[in-house]
Amino acid sequence: MISSSAHYNYIEIENILNDEGIIDDIFADIQLLFQVSKKLKFQRLKMESFTSPISVDFTTTDSIMKTKKAHSLVEEYLVLANNTVGSILTQTFHMNVPVFHALQLARDGRNKKKEWYLLHKYFAHLLCSKQEEIIEEIGQLSISNAQSGPIYLYQRLADDSPMSENEENVNNENENRLFVPIQTHVLDQILGHVQIDRNIDEAVELICSDFIHPKQALALKEWQSFEPLPQYRMSVLTRENPTVQFTCPLSRYCDIIVHRLIHAYLDGRNTPYEFSELRTICEYLNTLLKKRNDFNLQCKELVLANYLKTQPIIFQGFVSHVSPERYDIFIPGLHETMTKSVSVKFSEIDVCSIPEITEDNDMLSFNDNTDTSDDPECTEENGNNEYASSKVTVKWRRRLYSFKTTVLAKPMIDDDDVQTRPDKYVKIYPHLNTAFVSFRFWKSILEHVFEENYNALKHKLSINTREQMMQELERNKQHIDSFKNSVTDVSSEVSDQVIIDHFVPFQTSFRHGQMVTIQMSAQELSGILTPIP
């Protein structure tokens, strides 16, 4: 007989796991349960267990972002219970058990995996949540298989003939010019946790959160677009992991069915359901499940919009698609809160000329779409991502006045000693809040994490001081094409706060994976309050 001795909410459990709150008799027991749950999670998910969810939910006060450890603790034991009960029932009733399991990918879905890999082949192996995933004709996604250099380097390295000293130096230099874009404030927090707080767990959580890293987030988002969702289906159609749902009989009808099967098992009776009856119920439950999930998403969006209406929020997002008309933004956390993606039309931001489409030369040798144009199986996919390897340059003429005490722009002096401004558009650096770290450096960090070699990880992140790290990041910018001849600020004031031209010409560019800052508010569209940029 199991009896309940205490009642806690998620916030109270989170405080206990963080060594906060009132210490009572079962304080240590809860912490021990959490340690066991971490082991169970690693056995179940392997490398994916290092990842952390990113969610923005205004419908609850104890959202998963505030109580990650508590949610992880409860989730793991629920999964264990569901798997255990599912195994017992399927062994007893064989075919007549409704399990909750994702469908296998169809042939076209498996082709999409390959197409996805060819579009994201460099960053695919960096995805913590997809480590050890098998892709037909490609192999396994693994950090050990990540290429730390462009394809032509490996073709040369595969040659048995010895490399000259000059060739080896060129290869090393090229490898050192390959970068992974990381949000500046995220990298700063990682270094702070390791060098100042000595909190390696918090650093690992940030390192392994795919959705907060630009390139990894967009690759994972595209993967999830064709990944099958879990559905109710008969156990005879599932060969492994016969997971059932039975922990919420008051809110899910399928749980009541499983409870009846449990009673039949305990009483030694036959199943109370016919196969055809359960199959019809599963089909009906799948229809209701989709309606419930859609309704839940719409409710979350409405609550978010109601909040944004009076309190707009500034988000950091990643450009997922660019075209001559607009650019789309993926905002981590909001992908599970909004029904539509966020788009910004160039016609709505007062551009002064038609946007220009050109080839994106930032990290050119590390372009995700290299060497795929000749692949017949990728032709259609590349057609749908026509601008995936391009950038859109946008120009403005605006009145801009600096809030800074010092204006960095220098005046132009003509022959009459009169300050003038050329009619040339000043290029604004588009990656202001992005740090470019060496691909080899980030790969080695992930290897230390997956090996749980935290001493080596601390050494890797602490070998240089934060100031030295920042200096190295500044040197890395020199290899970014859009950084050359660019500035970080423009103003109509050019010297001593003298205004010589109210309308200053400037330009910037947008490309796939670029981090942008956007303010979200809300507006009624078709009579429904909706979040808008």
Side-chain angles (χ1 to χ4, degrees), residues 361-392:
N361 292 324
D362 281 7
M363 302 187 297
L364 182 60
S365 61
F366 210 36
N367 191 292
D368 291 346
N369 297 280
T370 306
D371 299 332
T372 62
S373 57
D374 296 330
D375 193 319
E377 296 189 29
C378 279
T379 304
E380 182 179 353
E381 181 69 19
N382 283 338
N384 296 332
N385 293 275
E386 179 181 357
Y387 303 106
S389 60
S390 302
K391 68 177 180 181
V392 179

Side-chain angles (χ1 to χ4, degrees), residues 176-194:
N176 291 332
R177 292 188 180 187
L178 302 178
F179 306 109
V180 177
I182 305 293
Q183 296 187 70
T184 303
H185 74 278
V186 171
L187 181 61
D188 192 57
Q189 288 184 49
I190 292 174
L191 296 177
H193 286 314
V194 174

